[in-house]
Amino acid sequence: MPEAAARPGRRVTLADVAAEAGVSRALASIVMRGAPGASEATRDRVQEVARSLGYRPDSRARLLRSSRTRLLGVTFTLAEPFHAEVVESVYAAAEDAGFELALSAVSPQRSEARAVESLLDLGVEALLMIAPSTPADGLAGHARRLPVVTLLSPAEVNGVDRVRSDDGAGIRAAVDHLVGLGHRRIVHIDGSGAVSAAERSSAYRDAMAAHGLAADIRVLRGGAGEEDGLRAGGELLAGELPSAVVVFNDRCALGVLEAVRRSGLSVPEEFSLTGYDDSQLARLSHVQLTSVSQQAPLLAEAAVACAAARLENREPSGLVHPPRLVVRSTTGPAAPRR
């Protein structure tokens, strides 16, 4: 190994690879870029040397030379487990498409505006915003500067592409499932102003009416978190008890589940409930929550493909995806009415 390449902390360069392989830097570059102009024997030798030296191409320098960053900025909310799953899928989709990611989190101490600002400072080519809370005029303002793709957002904004699952179809699937199990007194605990809350509540009402259960429609105020579900569960248990409940999301559903179990009711023998997102929380062995999956990998692939299309001045497609109900152990046949 060349002495310079062996020094601790020094990055192995293409010149080091070329010197060790006994070829010119230009020929080593041809091999590492996969371009024509080198024999198979030379390719094998250069690639073997690159592996042995631990050489990695300097993507930053390559991007600077190309005048493009190929960097996608992603905003997400730290407190939302499902957002983390979407981000994980976006990483895979971005790598397949030749992009790098820059993440910027939103928290109670860090606004979405600050999260976006930091990404713009990094020179991202496009923004992927997961369930953004930024008002429509703010999103439109960002879109005038660079392509903006929202994920899991019901709001239509001029100039902004929207990748989402069909919330209406997801809630209908949950209600259909419960009705198929014999449930009639089905309550909805809503998201209380959270992103997609209004759309899911409306879909619940429509689904109940479609089954001839308009008289049984009942919506309780919930929220996006576990404490919201615990509070709503307490309210639910204080009144006329339904046989099943469709909850806005998995986190809220966990709170409802805790309230129901504290009351001594057996799930699903006496009470059934469904969540939404099919997050890691729903899949925990002691939870096993029936939930609507938004299929994060499909959303991620569509969002990255949409951003790539806009950067290439192409019209994107496939922006709405069907969700899938995942049945687990929190739903079962309706118990006889007492």
Side-chain angles (χ1 to χ4, degrees):
M1 181 182 294
E3 182 182 350
R7 288 205 298 267
R10 181 185 180 280
R11 184 187 182 102
V12 177
T13 68
L14 186 61
D16 298 327
V17 174
E20 184 72 3
V23 299
S24 69
R25 188 184 184 284
L27 189 53
S29 176
I30 285 174
V31 172
M32 299 314 296
R33 288 186 287 111
S39 69
E40 284 303 312
T42 298
R43 289 185 188 279
D44 291 343
R45 185 168 72 257
V46 170
Q47 289 168 352
E48 176 59 32
V49 168
R51 282 192 294 271
S52 67
L53 295 182
Y55 170 74
R56 295 188 62 190
D58 188 342
S59 58
R60 293 170 300 176
R62 185 180 69 252
L63 292 172
L64 285 172
R65 288 194 298 271
S66 70
S67 76
R68 285 192 58 182
T69 65
R70 295 198 69 82
L71 188 63
L72 302 180
V74 181
T75 63
F76 66 103
T77 302
L78 275 176
E80 292 294 340
F82 184 60
H83 288 198
E85 294 187 41
V86 174
V87 168
E88 184 177 357
S89 295
V90 171
Y91 262 115
E95 183 175 353
D96 288 345
F99 289 95
E100 295 289 340
L101 291 189
L103 305 184
S104 195
V106 179
S107 72
Q109 290 75 41
R110 192 170 193 262
S111 70
E112 192 166 78
R114 179 70 188 94
V116 170
E117 181 183 324
S118 69
L119 293 173
L120 295 177
D121 288 344
L122 289 173
V124 299
E125 291 190 324
L127 282 176
L128 275 56
M129 302 181 69
I130 302 175
S133 59
T134 301
D137 57 347
L139 291 175
H142 296 325
R144 286 192 287 271
R145 301 177 60 179
L146 77 174
V148 175
V149 183
T150 64
L151 294 89
L152 315 179
S153 175
E156 290 191 35
V157 178
N158 188 39
V160 174
D161 292 305
R162 202 168 40 126
V163 171
R164 61 188 179 89
S165 68
D166 187 336
D167 283 318
I171 291 294
R172 286 195 299 273
V175 172
D176 291 349
H177 169 63
L178 292 170
V179 171
L181 291 170
H183 295 279
R184 296 295 180 269
R185 292 169 294 122
I186 304 170
V187 168
H188 176 54
I189 294 180
D190 73 8
S192 187
V195 172
S196 298
E199 289 69 24
R200 293 179 192 177
S201 290
S202 177
Y204 157 78
R205 295 177 185 277
D206 291 344
M208 290 290 283
H211 284 288
L213 300 174
D216 294 294
I217 290 174
R218 182 181 169 199
V219 178
L220 295 182
R221 179 176 170 271
E226 293 87 341
E227 290 300 320
D228 298 313
L230 195 60
R231 172 190 47 75
E235 182 182 345
L236 186 75
L237 294 165
E240 182 182 359
L241 189 67
S243 66
V245 61
V246 174
V247 188
F248 167 71
N249 72 359
D250 290 346
R251 289 181 62 203
C252 188
L254 288 186
V256 177
L257 184 60
E258 178 63 18
V260 169
R261 286 177 170 167
R262 286 181 188 179
S263 75
L265 287 173
S266 177
V267 177
E269 290 78 12
E270 298 177 278
F271 189 88
S272 290
L273 81 161
T274 68
Y276 205 106
D277 287 338
D278 190 34
S279 65
Q280 292 179 352
L281 297 174
R283 302 192 290 270
L284 291 172
S285 60
H286 67 284
V287 176
Q288 289 297 294
L289 176 69
T290 294
S291 184
V292 177
S293 170
Q294 300 201 61
Q295 306 197 71
L298 294 181
L299 293 175
E301 289 171 13
V304 171
C306 179
R310 289 301 185 193
L311 290 169
E312 296 166 4
N313 295 314
R314 293 185 290 106
E315 194 69 23
S317 61
L319 304 184
V320 181
H321 294 269
R324 178 173 60 92
L325 182 70
V326 181
V327 178
R328 297 192 180 91
S329 62
T330 59
T331 53
R337 188 164 187 173
R338 297 174 183 175

